Amino acid sequence: MNLANDRVTGPGGEVRLPRGFPNLEKMCRALATVGLAENENGETVDDPEQIAVCLHLKERFRSRRWIQWVLLDGDSCDLATFEPLNSEFRPGDPHDVTGQRLSRFSYVKRDGADFVLLSPETACRMTLRSDEVLRHIWHLSSPLDGAQANEPLFVALGQFGFLEPGLADEPVERASWAFADAILHSSSRRGLDEPIVGENTDLQEQYPAPQARLVPTGTTYALTPARGKIQLAIDGRRSCRVWQASPIPLPLLSSFLQRLGAVHESFVAGGLERLYKPIPAAGSIHELEWYIAVGNVSGLEQGLYRYCGFEHTLHAVPDSADTAAEMLQNAGSSMGATAEVPPALIVLATRMPRIAWKYRGMAYRLTLLNAGIALDAMYNTATELDLGGCAIGTGDPRPFQRVTGLSWFEESPVVEFALGLPK
């Protein structure tokens, strides 16, 4: 952060300070010790109005991720820095970490000249400032005993979400996720305020764009192109990003969902219930749950709905109107500057416990393959029904998880598909 006149600036914007607020050093002291700060005369500040100002500024700074936490040793030397990765992150309260150990999803990687500790379970990164910290973390493969649990480093790791219960059995939802699957899923979706997904400006600035056409190296054979009805429909498919003002007719949406997600038959094989649906899926497991965020569909109120393919029904998620609007707005902004907010958004959420119960070491790969098949089918079905559709390259799972109350271990969105009547 930088202080210039009455403004504090940093990544993501600036905050204007109240008139007469102390200099930067004293301001930081005031924010850190509200009610115990000193004014410019060195007197203790406990005025309720000034405390309220400090608390307000503290929350605004947190929302911009300007506040970091530093772990010091006895000589006031930095051991580690904890940096929030989204504006919603807050560390937990100090608690007893006896019996806990490093989360199996936590990992250390090099980032420039630093080593950082990361985990998909917490929106925080820990930059290691000392080799001593790295050596201590190395011993966290075993549960902490009572003496270790009192060490400030281990208490901090618990506060910031890097520990897990030691020898307790995992819930099936969490146990279903392999390490590589959890890392890939969390790092390829939005949810962090850092630009980890999107335009790869680093490569674009350093290297020329790879060409689309490869130079033939062997014998060339001419093929006769097909021009049947299905091929013409596929050739005519285009992503749609602008929409009519008219609502999507509910019968049209009903037909769209039935052609893709209706359950034709269920059966048990290998101890697991399998499903026959119009589109294929690995092992006929169909772990992808179909949701729709509704903004402008005739006969439906704005909100998030879950589609049930067994009865061909929609189940409204309670109190989800604002969340649906947020999801639709996110979809519109993700499609580009010229795109409009779509009337509806199809959301496919993976239930990893179902697919991981059958397949080991490839569950997340299979769910992504299934999602790709579903996307292709949605494009073709939308074209056939004279609907417009567009796959969303990025998506933020946080609104979905807030309104459903589901952890990403249980259900997490992997696909978003905008839907509406094309202009």
Side-chain angles (χ1 to χ4, degrees), residues 57-59 61-62 65-69 82-84:
L57 288 173
K58 196 171 189 175
E59 196 55 38
F61 288 178
R62 278 178 174 166
R65 300 190 294 120
W66 289 355
I67 293 181
Q68 299 180 2
W69 296 263
F82 296 90
E83 176 188 353

Side-chain angles (χ1 to χ4, degrees), residues 307-355:
Y307 174 67
C308 177
F310 289 91
E311 291 88 21
H312 190 53
T313 52
L314 287 174
H315 301 272
V317 176
D319 303 319
S320 59
D322 291 344
T323 300
E326 181 181 358
M327 296 169 74
L328 292 167
Q329 188 68 44
N330 289 345
S333 61
S334 295
M335 286 186 288
T338 60
E340 300 173 352
V341 174
L345 183 72
I346 305 295
V347 180
L348 302 188
T350 182
R351 292 175 58 196
M352 280 290 284
R354 267 187 60 78
I355 190 89

Side-chain angles (χ1 to χ4, degrees), residues 96-104 136-151 154 157 162-169:
D96 185 8
V97 295
T98 303
Q100 296 190 356
R101 60 182 174 184
L102 192 66
S103 165
R104 69 180 180 89
H136 272 64
I137 291 176
W138 195 261
H139 295 296
L140 274 174
S141 58
S142 301
L144 295 167
D145 59 31
Q148 293 172 318
N150 290 322
E151 295 186 27
F154 299 140
L157 288 171
F162 291 101
L163 301 183
E164 67 180 13
L167 301 178
D169 291 336

Side-chain angles (χ1 to χ4, degrees), residues 197-218:
V197 294
E199 279 285 306
N200 195 343
T201 55
D202 291 341
L203 282 183
Q204 292 172 12
E205 291 171 358
Q206 295 181 53
Y207 304 99
Q211 298 300 310
R213 180 171 181 164
L214 297 176
V215 177
T217 58

Side-chain angles (χ1 to χ4, degrees), residues 129-370:
R129 304 296 185 190
S130 166
D131 293 342
E132 177 186 350
V133 176
L134 188 56
R135 287 194 296 270
H136 272 64
I137 291 176
W138 195 261
H139 295 296
L140 274 174
S141 58
S142 301
L144 295 167
D145 59 31
Q148 293 172 318
N150 290 322
E151 295 186 27
L153 170 61
F154 299 140
V155 173
L157 288 171
Q159 282 184 264
F160 287 89
F162 291 101
L163 301 183
E164 67 180 13
L167 301 178
D169 291 336
E170 286 183 291
V172 62
E173 297 84 8
R174 189 175 189 270
S176 301
W177 285 82
F179 170 79
D181 293 345
I183 303 305
L184 174 60
H185 177 70
S186 64
S187 61
S188 60
R189 303 287 289 166
R190 292 199 183 274
L192 306 181
D193 294 332
E194 288 190 329
I196 60 166
V197 294
E199 279 285 306
N200 195 343
T201 55
D202 291 341
L203 282 183
Q204 292 172 12
E205 291 171 358
Q206 295 181 53
Y207 304 99
Q211 298 300 310
R213 180 171 181 164
L214 297 176
V215 177
T217 58
T219 305
T220 300
Y221 297 88
L223 301 175
T224 303
R227 284 292 178 263
K229 181 179 179 181
I230 295 178
Q231 186 62 43
L232 289 175
I234 293 174
D235 291 344
R237 180 214 54 78
R238 295 292 184 272
S239 290
C240 179
R241 296 178 176 84
V242 291
W243 322 92
Q244 296 182 24
S246 304
I248 302 174
L250 184 56
L252 203 56
L253 176 63
S254 173
S255 180
F256 179 85
L257 293 172
Q258 182 179 8
R259 296 183 186 207
L260 295 164
V263 176
H264 294 166
E265 181 183 346
S266 66
F267 62 99
V268 176
L272 183 66
E273 184 179 18
R274 319 292 181 103
L275 306 174
Y276 283 141
K277 289 188 175 186
I279 59 177
S284 296
I285 294 171
H286 289 283
E287 75 290 347
L288 295 175
E289 289 289 334
W290 290 67
Y291 290 84
I292 178 169
V294 169
N296 192 14
V297 176
S298 63
L300 289 179
E301 296 182 354
Q302 181 172 284
L304 182 66
Y305 297 79
R306 183 178 64 85
Y307 174 67
C308 177
F310 289 91
E311 291 88 21
H312 190 53
T313 52
L314 287 174
H315 301 272
V317 176
D319 303 319
S320 59
D322 291 344
T323 300
E326 181 181 358
M327 296 169 74
L328 292 167
Q329 188 68 44
N330 289 345
S333 61
S334 295
M335 286 186 288
T338 60
E340 300 173 352
V341 174
L345 183 72
I346 305 295
V347 180
L348 302 188
T350 182
R351 292 175 58 196
M352 280 290 284
R354 267 187 60 78
I355 190 89
W357 192 88
K358 170 66 176 176
Y359 295 109
R360 181 177 183 178
M362 53 194 263
Y364 192 64
R365 170 180 166 78
L366 291 177
T367 211
L368 293 182
L369 291 173
N370 292 339

